[in-house]
Amino acid sequence: DIQMTQSPSSLSASVGDRVTITCRASQGIRNNLGWYQQKPGKAPKRLIYAASSLQSGVPSRFSGSGSGTEFTLTISSLQPEDFATYYCLQHNSYPLTFGGGTKVEIK
Amino acid sequence: EVQLVQSGVEVKKPGESLKISCKGSGYRFTSDWIGWVRQMPGKGLEWMGLINPGDSDTRYSPSFQGQVTVSVDKSITTAYLLWNSLKASDTAIYYCARYDCTGGSCSFDFWGQGTLVTVSS
């Protein structure tokens, strides 16, 4: 199974900050990775697919990069509505595996 | 508009069986796989399995193989997640999601609202 190691597990940041979240795969997954945002009591929402493609309707302050084993999700200027938990998901091979999540909290 | 609407809250006892549902609308239901994802209280997301509504082909996570069954009735555009004998550790929110593979890269693009399952004696 491919392990997805996501870091940090939590972070505190202020509105306007640049935030970077990383996922490392235990083996190469090409660009077969997506990023999801989940707010309390809500279903996850896709932000990024194919490692760097922005989901339609998602603000351009979100971006994804990486290929192979290292991937990043960047929020260029954190907004109040971005406080949530973020997950990566690899779909290169079965079983599909999520990262452990990153909780972004208000400083 | 693509929608996945899941069945409501369930409260069950250990050993009971359960089937929860996920009804798709607003797209060609047989064109995309449907996946199921578990979220235990206060925990992260875990992929459970996938089903192809067109031919009922399935894929399971080893962690859930033999513990649950995914099925589909394409005539009513509905996918199901079934347990034969629930355990307290099955208490969780269960999400269905459409597994979109447009352009050769797949991901879960639309999600149901989640079904809370509580198993307690």
Side-chain angles (χ1 to χ4, degrees), chain A residues 1 31-32 36 38 42-46 49-50 55 87 89 91 94-96 98-100, chain B residues 37 39 43-47 50 59 61-62 95 99-100 105-109 111-113:
Chain A
D1 297 3
N31 70 334
N32 292 318
Y36 299 83
Q38 187 180 32
K42 299 293 188 183
K45 171 187 170 184
R46 185 173 75 170
Y49 61 97
Q55 169 71 24
Y87 296 93
L89 170 66
H91 55 82
Y94 296 116
L96 309 185
F98 285 94
Chain B
V37 173
Q39 188 165 41
K43 302 299 185 183
L45 304 173
E46 301 171 90
W47 173 67
L50 289 169
R59 301 284 186 273
S61 165
Y95 294 101
Y99 195 53
D100 167 56
S105 184
C106 306
S107 62
F108 292 118
D109 62 346
W111 293 67
Q113 81 277 20

Side-chain angles (χ1 to χ4, degrees), chain B residues 28-39:
Chain B
R28 188 178 173 188
F29 187 70
T30 53
S31 294
D32 297 289
W33 293 60
I34 294 284
W36 289 93
V37 173
R38 183 175 79 174
Q39 188 165 41

Side-chain angles (χ1 to χ4, degrees), chain B residues 3-48:
Chain B
Q3 282 194 309
L4 295 172
V5 178
Q6 297 185 230
S7 49
V9 173
E10 300 278 359
V11 180
K12 306 292 278 186
K13 290 181 167 44
E16 292 186 331
S17 63
L18 175 64
K19 178 194 275 191
I20 62 174
S21 66
C22 169
K23 182 171 176 60
S25 63
Y27 72 104
R28 188 178 173 188
F29 187 70
T30 53
S31 294
D32 297 289
W33 293 60
I34 294 284
W36 289 93
V37 173
R38 183 175 79 174
Q39 188 165 41
M40 298 178 76
K43 302 299 185 183
L45 304 173
E46 301 171 90
W47 173 67
M48 302 175 71

Side-chain angles (χ1 to χ4, degrees), chain B residues 41-120:
Chain B
K43 302 299 185 183
L45 304 173
E46 301 171 90
W47 173 67
M48 302 175 71
L50 289 169
I51 187 162
N52 182 337
D55 62 7
S56 296
D57 190 16
T58 54
R59 301 284 186 273
Y60 289 95
S61 165
S63 298
F64 293 95
Q65 179 87 48
Q67 308 304 307
V68 297
T69 302
V70 295
S71 66
V72 68
D73 185 338
K74 62 184 178 182
S75 70
I76 56 170
T77 66
T78 300
Y80 301 97
L81 181 63
L82 302 90
W83 292 260
N84 285 330
S85 181
L86 286 159
K87 302 185 278 287
S89 58
D90 293 317
T91 295
I93 297 173
Y94 294 88
Y95 294 101
C96 65
R98 188 177 78 163
Y99 195 53
D100 167 56
C101 295
T102 303
S105 184
C106 306
S107 62
F108 292 118
D109 62 346
F110 287 91
W111 293 67
Q113 81 277 20
T115 296
L116 173 62
V117 174
T118 301
V119 183
S120 175

Side-chain angles (χ1 to χ4, degrees), chain A:
Chain A
D1 297 3
I2 296 175
Q3 309 304 316
M4 300 301 298
T5 303
Q6 191 171 339
S7 61
S9 56
S10 65
L11 65 90
S12 295
S14 300
V15 172
D17 283 354
R18 182 181 182 88
V19 168
T20 299
I21 299 167
T22 298
C23 262
R24 287 190 174 85
S26 59
Q27 61 191 80
I29 60 170
R30 297 176 289 177
N31 70 334
N32 292 318
L33 181 120
W35 290 97
Y36 299 83
Q37 176 194 64
Q38 187 180 32
K39 295 183 178 179
K42 299 293 188 183
K45 171 187 170 184
R46 185 173 75 170
L47 300 176
I48 301 286
Y49 61 97
S52 60
S53 295
L54 189 67
Q55 169 71 24
S56 174
V58 172
S60 59
R61 63 182 179 271
F62 290 94
S63 64
S65 64
S67 183
T69 61
E70 187 151 338
F71 301 85
T72 59
L73 173 70
T74 299
I75 310 172
S76 60
S77 177
L78 197 67
Q79 297 302 300
E81 61 268 30
D82 301 337
F83 292 95
T85 301
Y86 295 84
Y87 296 93
C88 63
L89 170 66
Q90 73 80 21
H91 55 82
N92 188 72
S93 62
Y94 296 116
L96 309 185
T97 42
F98 285 94
T102 296
K103 186 173 184 179
V104 177
E105 298 176 302
I106 302 171
K107 183 182 283 184

